[in-house]
Amino acid sequence: MNKKIILGVTAIFTAGMLYSCNNSGSQQTPNTENTIQESTADNHDHAGHDHAQAAPTQSSEPAAILPNFTFYQLRSGIRVSNENLAKDKNTVFILFDPGCSHCQHEATELEKNIDRIKDVNIFYISMNDPALVLGFFDSFAPKLSKSSNVEVLIDKDQTFIQSIHVPSQFPANYVYGADGKLKAHWEGEKNINEAISQFHK
């Protein structure tokens, strides 16, 4: 597949993801297979966040071994790569869209449980405009984004969806061990206690 086709497909995919994640409710699909578990306080219809139609053809499984990557810190723009991964603990990658209510809810819940996730590294990754990402954390999880074990990264080259995985729902969580091997992954929101348990798998 040549580079033009890959870039064209990723551009269409990204546009589709951004549209599908808005909370207008106009994007409804009958798919309830991946219904997300949330607190009873949120009665939002989760079916509207199925992104399967926008995803380019690719393996449905994420990379079993973490490939080389380059992302950039939200505030400083400093390059982050595999060399920056902890050698003695799990790293959790959370691919998210600032406009997705499920992503907002997960970030809020993780912030409430920040003491339970201090022994894992968390990389929040977005392909969106840095200003939107900054607003997301300022609004929903300001303490989480400033935690010493949490990095907020911008994926300006769309490395994640080209090298690691194309998710069908946001937020998409991936737990990699210190050895670079995939331990767990899920798409869409998970009960916070189950999610934290998987972070420590």
Side-chain angles (χ1 to χ4, degrees):
M1 186 180 289
N2 69 36
K3 194 169 183 179
K4 286 185 179 178
I5 293 174
I6 291 173
L7 292 175
V9 168
T10 27
I12 292 167
F13 166 73
T14 305
M17 292 276 268
L18 297 178
Y19 179 73
S20 297
C21 268
N22 73 35
N23 297 321
S24 67
S26 60
Q27 280 268 312
Q28 298 299 319
T29 66
N31 182 2
T32 56
E33 182 182 334
N34 293 320
T35 301
I36 299 160
Q37 299 174 14
E38 277 192 300
S39 68
T40 53
D42 180 9
N43 60 5
H44 180 73
D45 180 1
H46 307 283
H49 289 278
D50 185 324
H51 303 202
Q53 296 176 44
T57 304
Q58 181 171 316
S59 168
S60 60
E61 293 301 313
I65 304 289
L66 189 64
N68 290 332
F69 63 81
T70 300
F71 303 124
Y72 300 88
Q73 289 180 355
L74 171 64
R75 289 179 172 86
S76 68
I78 293 172
R79 180 181 175 273
V80 174
S81 70
N82 303 62
E83 297 166 7
N84 301 105
L85 294 178
K87 308 300 183 200
D88 59 348
K89 57 181 72 172
N90 286 351
T91 298
V92 178
F93 293 85
I94 302 175
L95 187 65
F96 76 105
D97 181 337
C100 174
S101 66
H102 312 310
C103 304
Q104 296 163 5
H105 183 260
E106 181 181 71
T108 301
E109 289 300 301
L110 285 176
E111 181 169 274
K112 288 177 187 173
N113 291 275
I114 201 164
D115 290 334
R116 297 171 60 196
I117 57 173
K118 285 191 171 176
D119 58 342
V120 294
N121 285 331
I122 299 175
F123 285 0
Y124 259 95
I125 302 167
S126 179
M127 296 177 285
N128 291 87
D129 183 280
L132 293 175
V133 175
L134 189 60
F136 171 90
F137 283 100
D138 286 348
S139 298
F140 301 102
K143 291 179 186 172
L144 181 68
S145 69
K146 293 178 177 75
S147 180
S148 61
N149 65 316
V150 177
E151 289 268 14
V152 182
L153 305 173
I154 300 299
D155 181 8
K156 56 188 178 184
D157 302 318
Q158 301 179 348
T159 300
F160 200 98
I161 62 171
Q162 292 190 46
S163 303
I164 301 174
H165 189 232
V166 178
S168 60
Q169 290 189 341
F170 283 152
N173 289 250
Y174 306 82
V175 182
Y176 281 92
D179 58 1
K181 293 181 179 176
L182 182 69
K183 291 186 167 187
H185 103 277
W186 63 93
E187 298 167 38
E189 204 170 329
K190 186 186 279 287
N191 173 279
I192 196 62
N193 293 318
E194 292 177 23
I196 291 172
S197 174
Q198 292 295 301
F199 285 3
H200 295 97
K201 188 170 178 178

